[in-house]
Amino acid sequence: MESTAKKRIIIAVDGFSSCGKSTFAKAIAARLGYIFIDTGAMYRAVTLYALEHGAIRSGMVDEDKVVGLLGQIDIDFRFNPERGASDIYVNGDLVEGKIRSIEVSNCVSPVSSIRQVREKLVAMQQQMGRKRGVVMDGRDIGTVVFPDAEMKIFMTADPKVRAQRRYDELRAKGDNVSLEEIEANVVARDHADMTRAISPLRKADDAIVLDNSHMTVDEQMEWFMEHYRAVTGAC
Ligand code: DC
């Protein structure tokens, strides 16, 4: 029988936006030699394709058109050794940079609320995780995609702390934004994520909460390893 110490598991990382989920999930995956899958990037990739193919005009999402395009969207991840993470491709085109644009960020919420979009991406995510040894970050991984994940982490942080982090990030990129504006946006997105009709953001009953408001990345890793050892029996 396979020893528990070597058992490869699924680690679901869900939580609020601007919590540092991807940074945390990527670090865990690197530490364990697991694959990291950023499911937000998949929703962003569909949104980009919809924008480029006339299914979103002046910020208005035409749901039927988006659904009509789904059959021609092929998404895959390829490991990029320079980044130490995987880049996302749509129909063979590298779109990692484009999916982070403001335009995509502004339209990804309504696109990710479309039932058929979620069905397609959830099925892909389940397929990607079938061999386990995966860290997947998103909003519904522990509740919908892998309700049987061996380890579920729900990340949160004080909205003011998240807003400050995002503000620092945007200012560093040269964006002229105000802290009040960002705070309002963080609160609005929390509300949209939690009240969406399909697969709203919620903590799975068996998830452990990581509030990283006042934690460094190293402290978060220490916290994680303690829980990971308890779950897998690894030393
Ligand atoms: O993590 P992110 O901000 O890149 O995610 C982009 C959007 O996709 C966000 O509005 C929430 C949505 N999303 C989702 O609905 N389900 C997921 N599993 C991941 C992201």
Side-chain angles (χ1 to χ4, degrees):
M1 210 176 91
E2 192 189 13
S3 92
T4 39
K6 293 214 181 95
K7 187 176 158 202
R8 292 171 73 76
I9 64 170
I10 290 184
I11 302 172
V13 180
D14 291 304
F16 293 100
S17 58
S18 304
C19 265
K21 284 196 302 294
S22 291
T23 308
F24 175 73
K26 214 181 292 171
I28 296 175
R31 172 87 179 241
L32 302 180
Y34 277 21
I35 292 168
F36 160 63
I37 296 165
D38 171 1
T39 62
M42 299 168 75
Y43 289 93
R44 288 172 178 274
V46 171
T47 306
L48 175 70
Y49 194 86
L51 277 162
E52 289 180 343
H53 291 78
I56 304 175
R57 291 191 193 278
S58 312
M60 296 300 294
V61 177
D62 182 329
E63 291 199 9
D64 291 338
K65 274 197 185 156
V66 175
V67 172
L69 292 173
L70 282 177
Q72 59 196 57
I73 304 178
D74 183 37
I75 294 175
D76 69 303
F77 286 96
R78 299 180 202 167
F79 189 72
N80 176 345
E82 276 175 29
R83 280 202 320 124
S86 295
D87 289 333
I88 190 164
Y89 289 74
V90 172
N91 297 340
D93 294 332
L94 174 65
V95 294
E96 187 61 41
K98 283 192 192 170
I99 60 163
R100 312 280 166 197
S101 73
I102 292 282
E103 206 184 5
V104 170
S105 300
N106 285 342
C107 300
V108 65
S109 242
V111 171
S112 65
S113 302
I114 302 172
R115 181 175 55 82
Q116 293 90 335
V117 171
R118 301 205 72 83
E119 282 171 0
K120 176 180 168 113
L121 297 189
V122 167
M124 283 182 65
Q125 290 153 13
Q126 289 171 334
Q127 179 68 12
M128 288 170 177
R130 74 194 185 287
K131 291 189 182 157
R132 310 190 101 73
V134 161
V135 184
M136 207 173 267
D137 105 59
R139 305 291 192 285
D140 59 344
I141 311 305
T143 51
V144 175
V145 183
F146 289 112
D148 64 340
E150 290 83 351
M151 204 173 167
K152 299 179 185 177
I153 298 168
F154 189 85
M155 283 182 75
T156 182
D158 185 324
K160 281 194 187 305
V161 173
R162 288 189 279 138
Q164 183 70 51
R165 287 176 187 161
R166 193 156 164 67
Y167 173 78
D168 292 342
E169 244 173 56
L170 290 171
R171 293 295 279 214
K173 278 203 293 178
D175 282 4
N176 187 22
V177 285
S178 75
L179 185 56
E180 291 71 33
E181 191 184 343
I182 302 282
E183 247 180 72
N185 180 263
V186 163
V187 172
R189 279 194 301 146
D190 286 356
H191 184 258
D193 277 349
M194 288 189 295
T195 55
R196 165 171 83 202
I198 311 167
S199 309
L201 170 66
R202 74 170 178 83
K203 181 183 110 42
D205 294 338
D206 50 351
I208 42 177
V209 175
L210 170 59
D211 180 337
N212 69 3
S213 303
H214 305 289
M215 285 170 91
T216 63
V217 172
D218 285 350
E219 286 168 342
Q220 292 175 60
M221 183 56 82
E222 220 171 278
W223 175 95
F224 167 75
M225 287 309 294
E226 226 168 83
H227 286 280
Y228 172 76
R229 287 185 196 109
V231 169
T232 62
C235 39

